[in-house]
Amino acid sequence: ETTETENASEFTLSEVFEMELLYRKRGKEVKQPEFCEELAAKFSGSANRNGKSIIRRDQVHTWFLDRELFSAVKSKSSVVDSNVVKNKLAIINSSPTALKNFVALSKAHAAAEIPKKPKAQRVEEIADLAFEALSVKDCAWYDVASFLNFRVMYTGELEVRVRFSGFSNDQDEWVNVRSAIRERSIPLEASECHKVKDGDLLLCYRANEDHALYSDAHLVRVVRQLHDKDNCTCTFLVRFEYDNSEMELTCAEICRRPS
């Protein structure tokens, strides 16, 4: 089944990142029709958009309006017409087609706070991001297959409805973007076991008769062994945040957090 979200023309994360920087630098100018027209033409003609739908001026203009609203909701102190906010929130909450752009806006906004790397490198890194989400049902992290919808809570917090990879729609959940969405954890390779240190936050496999899940845990200690790059024989003692239980795991049962 093809959803409305899948049919919609969407910005790439690199385009979102560029618009975020323009919004900060150019202010109200970014909402001018001529500016939006030029930016839409630039995006549509980019080699990175080969095989994708063209971008229209109204899409760019709407994105900047969403960005203004996002800033207002986030700060709770910006002066924005109350009717504009009310109408825009109604559109956002009723239309899933804007979801990925709004979620990407949150991620780009956060990434732009760290200007320590060249712009080209930051854009490349953001474009390659994949995400995982925390399920409230079992306090475990699952890979995100897609973002389905989103809503702005009365507190100003942004929530998204996610579909977990490998699960059907009856397992979809609403999760908080700030606390329950993050960049996907990386399986620990045998050749990289030296990268994890005592106290590190890890995503670890925990299993018993009732479940087999990946949950957050802190590394207590490592019993390191000599081994080759293909087969790690070290033993990792971890303490799960879920219930403070401790367990000895192998390299294959551990994922590390991106640096």
Side-chain angles (χ1 to χ4, degrees):
E1 180 180 0
T2 302
T3 66
E4 184 181 2
T5 302
E6 290 168 341
N7 283 329
S9 297
E10 298 172 352
F11 295 107
T12 65
L13 284 177
S14 59
E15 290 167 349
V16 169
F17 189 79
E18 181 172 347
M19 288 189 291
E20 170 67 22
L21 296 179
L22 288 170
Y23 177 85
R24 294 179 174 220
K25 183 177 181 180
R26 308 289 280 272
K28 294 182 179 180
E29 180 186 350
V30 298
K31 292 188 293 182
Q32 296 299 318
E34 297 81 4
F35 187 93
C36 294
E37 184 75 48
E38 292 178 3
L39 195 56
K42 175 185 176 182
F43 288 160
S44 297
S46 170
N48 294 329
R49 188 153 280 277
N50 287 341
K52 298 183 177 69
S53 302
I54 64 171
I55 294 297
R56 304 185 308 274
R57 181 184 71 180
D58 62 295
Q59 289 176 282
V60 176
H61 184 253
T62 298
W63 189 95
F64 284 123
L65 290 179
D66 287 342
R67 177 63 182 85
E68 185 177 42
L69 173 62
F70 179 83
S71 180
V73 172
K74 187 173 184 292
S75 67
K76 302 179 186 179
S77 60
S78 300
V79 179
V80 178
D81 186 278
S82 59
N83 289 327
V84 172
V85 173
K86 181 179 179 180
N87 293 338
K88 198 61 186 177
L89 285 176
I91 293 172
I92 287 173
N93 284 305
S94 64
S95 173
T97 61
L99 167 68
K100 289 186 179 179
N101 290 341
F102 205 79
V103 172
L105 168 66
S106 302
K107 299 298 178 181
H109 184 271
E113 300 292 342
I114 311 175
K116 295 181 180 180
K117 298 180 180 180
K119 176 184 174 183
Q121 184 178 352
R122 297 201 308 272
V123 168
E124 181 180 356
E125 290 173 355
I126 292 173
D128 290 338
L129 290 186
F131 301 103
E132 59 191 19
L134 181 65
S135 170
V136 297
K137 296 177 182 179
D138 51 24
C139 296
W141 290 87
Y142 297 90
D143 289 347
V144 173
S146 60
F147 296 107
L148 304 172
N149 208 335
F150 67 93
R151 62 192 181 190
V152 180
M153 309 302 288
Y154 74 93
T155 58
E157 291 285 298
L158 180 65
E159 290 190 347
V160 292
R161 190 164 183 81
V162 300
R163 177 152 303 159
F164 297 112
S165 181
F167 291 85
S168 58
N169 58 3
D170 61 340
Q171 298 298 318
D172 296 346
E173 289 187 35
W174 286 102
V175 299
N176 184 282
V177 169
R178 180 179 58 82
S179 60
I181 296 288
R182 68 187 185 188
E183 188 178 350
R184 190 174 295 171
S185 300
I186 305 168
L188 185 61
E189 300 289 342
S191 60
E192 298 181 329
C193 68
H194 63 279
K195 291 187 176 182
V196 297
K197 311 293 183 183
D198 292 358
D200 282 357
L201 175 65
L202 303 171
L203 184 64
C204 299
Y205 183 74
R206 57 183 176 95
N208 58 29
E209 295 180 355
D210 300 321
H211 59 239
L213 307 169
Y214 276 90
S215 300
D216 280 344
H218 289 272
L219 182 60
V220 178
R221 66 174 178 272
V222 184
V223 179
R224 300 193 183 276
Q225 306 288 346
L226 290 175
H227 59 77
D228 58 33
K229 63 183 181 63
D230 298 317
N231 183 30
C232 176
T233 55
C234 301
T235 302
F236 301 82
L237 178 64
V238 303
R239 180 180 296 114
F240 286 98
E241 289 188 348
Y242 177 72
D243 57 4
N244 283 324
S245 63
E246 294 188 354
M247 186 180 298
E248 288 188 346
L249 302 177
T250 65
C251 176
E253 297 172 305
I254 292 174
C255 295
R256 61 183 178 85
R257 296 296 303 135
S259 57

